[in-house]
């Protein structure tokens, strides 16, 4: 799935999982943020697949990594967090990215739980400070 970040660049995001057992009590969507030198969804594949058995999880390639387009020169945590927030809310044709559950594409929606590995934790912390409503 290719979504657009806040700069209009295409970013690769993979969302998968299972629907909640009870629609009245949906589980938060888990967003995985990988380490700095890799920055790709693929590096989190094993964890992604394990978490997808429990609920909805998304991994993505930060700008300049994997299948995502090159990002701007400023890769400060505030910029990366803003790009992710934009992708999660409006990154797929001005709508949230979707996940296929029971054969139907459904948009992912807050609340989000972010889990970062290594330098990815810096970006998740910035995201939490800048976008507490998500």
């Amino acid at each position: 799935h290719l979504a657009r970040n806040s700069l209009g660049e295409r970013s690769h995001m993979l969302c998968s999982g299972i629907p909640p057992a009870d629609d009245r009590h949906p589980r938060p969507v888990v967003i995985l943020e990988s380490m700095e030198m890799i920055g790709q969804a693929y590096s989190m594949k094993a964890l992604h697949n394990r978490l997808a058995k429990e609920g909805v999880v998304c991994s993505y390639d930060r700008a300049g990594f994997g299948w995502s387009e090159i990002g701007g020169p400023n890769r400060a945590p505030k910029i990366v967090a803003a790009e992710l927030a934009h992708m999660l809310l409006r990154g797929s044709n001005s709508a949230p990215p979707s996940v296929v559950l029971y054969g139907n594409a459904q948009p992912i929606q807050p609340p989000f739980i972010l889990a970062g590995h290594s330098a990815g934790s810096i970006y998740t912390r910035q995201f939490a400070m800048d976008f507490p409503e998500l």
Side-chain angles (χ1 to χ4, degrees):
H1 178 88
L2 289 174
R4 294 217 178 260
N5 65 26
S6 58
L7 300 175
E9 297 152 342
R10 291 184 314 172
S11 295
H12 173 254
M13 179 175 276
L14 172 66
C15 297
S16 59
I18 61 169
D22 181 353
D23 287 337
R24 295 173 296 164
H25 300 99
R27 295 180 181 167
V29 175
V30 176
I31 309 294
L32 300 177
E33 181 75 64
S34 65
M35 64 188 109
E36 183 60 31
M37 295 309 293
I38 296 178
Q40 298 179 41
Y42 186 77
S43 69
M44 303 292 262
K45 183 179 179 184
L47 179 59
H48 180 113
N49 290 342
R50 173 63 184 97
L51 291 173
K53 293 177 183 176
E54 304 295 328
V56 175
V57 61
C58 297
S59 304
Y60 78 105
D61 298 339
R62 279 194 305 274
F65 293 97
W67 289 298
S68 293
E69 292 180 349
I70 301 292
N74 186 351
R75 304 310 309 148
K78 219 167 188 34
I79 301 295
V80 173
E83 289 174 356
L84 177 58
H86 180 87
M87 271 195 312
L88 293 173
L89 297 175
R90 297 177 297 282
S92 185
N93 297 320
S94 297
S98 60
V99 60
V100 177
L101 302 173
Y102 293 134
N104 298 315
Q106 299 178 9
I108 61 169
Q109 297 177 348
F112 301 115
I113 295 177
L114 277 69
H117 176 262
S118 188
S121 64
I122 296 168
Y123 301 125
T124 59
R125 182 180 171 115
Q126 188 70 53
F127 185 96
M129 290 188 302
D130 292 351
F131 304 98
E133 71 280 8
L134 298 178

